[in-house]
Amino acid sequence: MAWAAHRLLPGVPMLTAAVVLGVAAAHLPGTGRLVSGAGRPGLSLAGKRLMRVGVVLLGLELSLGDVLGLGWATVGMVLAVVASTFFGTLWLGRRLGLRGDQPLLVATGYSICGASAIGAVGEARGSDERDTAASVALVTLCGTLAVFVLPLLHHPLGLDDPQFGRWVGAGVHDVGQVVAAAQTAGGTALGEAVLVKLMRVLLLAPLVAAVAVSAVRRAGRDGETGGGRPPLVPLFVTGFLAAVAVRTTGAVPAGALEAGAAVREFVLAAALVGLGSAVHLPSLARTGARLAVLGACSWVVIAGASYTGVLLTS
């Protein structure tokens, strides 16, 4: 259904539609009972295990040569945008008193690559499923709005097509949302946007590794032993880096890369249906105002930082 929605409305990324369908399934009278009962184990499995598979396959989109071809000025700009967004959002989320791991997860989603990054960090951290689901819902909503808002600002902000592409790549959360927004300005903008976005995706591995190390230390302080501790570097992060290395060799045929991308989209869509089905709107409404404030402020930070960075590096 998510694939069909994307085909009918190309401006709506398939992964965004998957989250919306998951949320809807949890609240519609006909499916809500199945989602909360017999279907819950499978949906939870999809939200965790299939998310790992999707993150590994995401590595096949990355070639280190292409990323470094952006130039060191652009690489520095992306690093600055990611750092300012991540730490700024994390600080503000804690100041707002959001529950559990929500500040960390929202900061990750905004600064790296949306829902897939939230799923990866939530898995490494062992986050509560409700925190993960609420963070995915917020980041998906704001990223979807960006798909429609940013193209309207293309010419008023005085950006040429390559600059607009780099701005979208540095400032929009999910890969599908980046493509949907950048393609409105043509092929050149789309190419720039995807390269800059993939540079942000590459930062997912060190971030997840850092979160995993933090979780190990936390487990040690709490007195957990043996199998109770999360692994130092999650296996799916190792798989992600291996996929990047394989793509960088140039040995993978174009057909195999296209097939891998198609499988990744469907696997991540299934995972996001699972995460979306864990969203409980009444509970979300109780913290909705604070989440909305965090989302709006973080959106301003990443849009402003990326816009300034694009102007300084052009």
Side-chain angles (χ1 to χ4, degrees):
M1 290 175 65
W3 175 82
H6 171 62
R7 296 289 294 180
L8 290 172
L9 301 170
V12 178
M14 179 173 160
L15 301 187
T16 300
V19 175
V20 173
L21 288 169
V23 174
H27 293 84
L28 291 175
T31 55
R33 193 175 305 167
L34 174 65
V35 166
S36 61
R40 188 72 256 153
L43 290 165
S44 296
L45 179 71
K48 294 180 179 180
R49 299 296 177 87
L50 293 184
M51 180 63 74
R52 298 178 194 172
V53 175
V55 169
V56 171
L57 292 174
L58 190 60
L60 291 176
E61 299 292 311
L62 285 164
S63 168
L64 291 179
D66 289 340
V67 172
L68 293 178
L70 291 169
W72 290 109
T74 301
V75 171
M77 180 268 288
V78 171
L79 291 173
V81 169
V82 168
S84 60
T85 304
F86 179 80
F87 289 109
T89 303
L90 183 61
W91 175 84
L92 180 59
R94 288 172 174 170
R95 294 282 293 179
L96 289 171
L98 292 176
R99 54 164 282 171
D101 287 336
Q102 284 183 3
L104 172 65
L105 296 172
V106 173
T108 300
Y110 269 85
S111 60
I112 305 293
C113 56
S116 54
I118 291 174
V121 168
E123 182 69 19
R125 178 81 171 176
S127 301
D128 185 278
E129 189 177 30
R130 292 169 298 175
D131 290 344
T132 303
S135 302
V136 165
L138 173 68
V139 171
T140 300
L141 172 62
C142 292
T144 302
L145 291 175
V147 170
F148 300 100
V149 173
L150 266 59
L152 299 177
L153 300 175
H154 178 183
H155 297 297
L157 290 178
L159 298 173
D160 59 26
D161 290 350
Q163 289 175 325
F164 176 72
R166 288 195 293 275
W167 183 47
V168 170
V172 179
H173 318 321
D174 186 83
V175 175
Q177 294 163 349
V178 166
V179 172
Q183 56 87 27
T184 61
T188 300
L190 180 59
E192 293 282 333
V194 170
L195 283 177
V196 171
K197 178 61 192 174
L198 292 181
M199 172 64 196
R200 288 169 62 197
V201 172
L202 188 61
L203 299 176
L204 177 63
L207 177 61
V208 173
V211 169
V213 169
S214 174
V216 168
R217 291 175 177 173
R218 181 181 61 177
R221 287 195 301 267
D222 292 343
E224 297 180 17
T225 59
R229 296 188 181 187
L232 187 62
V233 178
L235 184 61
F236 69 88
V237 175
T238 304
F240 172 83
L241 293 174
V244 173
V246 169
R247 172 63 189 271
T248 302
T249 65
V252 184
L257 291 175
E258 292 177 3
V263 172
R264 171 179 56 80
E265 282 290 290
F266 275 92
V267 167
L268 285 178
L272 291 177
V273 169
L275 287 177
S277 70
V279 173
H280 186 242
L281 292 179
S283 300
L284 187 61
R286 286 194 284 272
T287 56
R290 286 175 290 165
L291 268 176
V293 169
L294 179 61
C297 291
S298 186
W299 197 9
V300 170
V301 168
I302 193 168
S306 56
Y307 177 69
T308 302
V310 166
L311 292 183
L312 290 176
T313 56
S314 295

